Amino acid sequence: MGASTGAALDILARKNSKKGALVGANEQSIFQLEAMIEVCNLEEIRIYDLDLGKAKKLENIMKKRLKPYSVKVTRVYTVDESLKDADVIVIEDSPQKWRFNINKVKKGSTIIHTGYIDKSESITYDKVSKIYFNSKETIPRKSRLNLGPNISGEIGSVLLGKIAGRENDDEIIVYESINMGLLDLMTARAVYVRAKQEGVGDKWDDLGNTSRHLS
């Protein structure tokens, strides 16, 4: 969930990122927000959802969960308001549901998109500097063809130094975070085994049951 977002932001986000935006409040959003806070020294996060009540519930939840951090969390009423001056943007909903104006995104921003990217959606990808993904196999062939030369490659290749990541503070970068299920399972197992060996981590009695909070 948020691990992929955190890893991508650590690699691709500007180091002086201060403002964040979350578009779409669902069962994963809590972890996405926590990943944004852990990786970036954000001072403010704005939350938007078509269901304003759901966005408000998430705002209240995160104000309690993020008390140890000096970050302001606010529900806003329009997608443009959430995007204004945002350095890091996490999109949980499909842009087909609302109008995403790339001209509202500031230079140097990093966009984490948790759904399939496609030119049929409202994001104008020809104005994006670079697009990264976990694996080409997770992006439908139609999307790969439509995205054309904007595709930079797999995020793992950036980690290995095979391809460049962010090269300047003006690039608008998109990371498509659709994962491979098998890779997620094996990574989770490796983390769990290591945590058991080190005797660290918290035990959750209600593991991952967050959807009830936002319904």
Side-chain angles (χ1 to χ4, degrees):
M1 295 181 185
S4 179
T5 294
L9 289 176
D10 189 43
I11 299 168
L12 302 175
R14 294 167 56 196
K15 300 307 178 185
N16 59 343
S17 296
K18 297 297 182 183
K19 295 185 178 182
L22 176 81
V23 181
N26 61 35
E27 62 273 13
Q28 295 189 40
S29 300
I30 291 173
F31 304 106
Q32 303 288 2
L33 284 166
E34 289 182 339
M36 293 165 72
I37 295 298
E38 287 289 345
V39 175
C40 301
N41 187 28
L42 299 181
E43 298 174 350
E44 179 183 3
I45 296 179
R46 294 184 291 270
I47 301 170
Y48 170 75
D49 192 279
L50 284 171
D51 185 336
L52 295 177
K54 188 179 289 187
K56 183 63 177 178
K57 286 182 180 179
L58 181 60
E59 175 193 23
N60 291 336
I61 291 170
M62 298 314 297
K63 281 182 177 178
K64 293 179 181 178
R65 290 177 70 103
L66 298 177
K67 274 187 176 180
Y69 302 90
S70 56
V71 57
K72 179 181 178 181
V73 180
T74 309
R75 183 271 307 268
V76 295
Y77 294 89
T78 67
V79 66
D80 285 352
E81 190 178 357
S82 70
L83 299 176
K84 184 179 179 182
D85 296 326
D87 299 294
V88 296
I89 302 164
V90 174
I91 301 175
E92 288 280 351
D93 279 340
S94 169
Q96 290 177 328
K97 297 181 181 179
W98 35 266
R99 183 173 180 175
F100 184 103
N101 187 346
I102 195 67
N103 294 317
K104 299 290 185 178
V105 175
K106 67 183 289 186
K107 287 184 178 180
S109 62
T110 305
I111 303 170
I112 311 294
H113 187 195
T114 64
Y116 288 120
I117 46 180
D118 193 306
K119 273 194 174 179
S120 66
E121 295 178 347
S122 304
I123 298 178
T124 307
Y125 285 100
D126 56 4
K127 293 188 177 181
V128 170
S129 306
K130 295 173 180 175
I131 299 172
Y132 299 92
F133 45 86
N134 283 322
S135 170
K136 188 178 290 186
E137 303 305 318
T138 63
I139 301 179
R141 180 174 174 78
K142 180 182 177 182
S143 294
R144 296 203 298 266
L145 293 174
N146 285 342
L147 293 168
N150 290 339
I151 290 183
S152 299
E154 297 183 358
I155 196 74
S157 295
V158 180
L159 281 168
L160 294 173
K162 294 181 178 180
I163 61 176
R166 176 174 291 279
E167 296 179 281
N168 60 67
D169 284 347
D170 288 334
E171 291 179 316
I172 297 176
I173 295 178
V174 171
Y175 169 59
E176 164 54 51
S177 70
I178 292 294
N179 298 323
M180 297 181 70
L182 180 60
L183 180 61
D184 285 347
L185 287 172
M186 295 308 296
T187 302
R189 182 182 183 279
V191 171
Y192 174 76
V193 170
R194 181 65 179 272
K196 290 277 286 185
Q197 291 173 345
E198 300 290 334
V200 297
D202 297 320
K203 182 179 179 180
W204 293 351
D205 295 325
D206 192 17
L207 181 60
N209 187 12
T210 59
S211 59
R212 61 187 175 85
H213 298 297
L214 299 177
S215 60

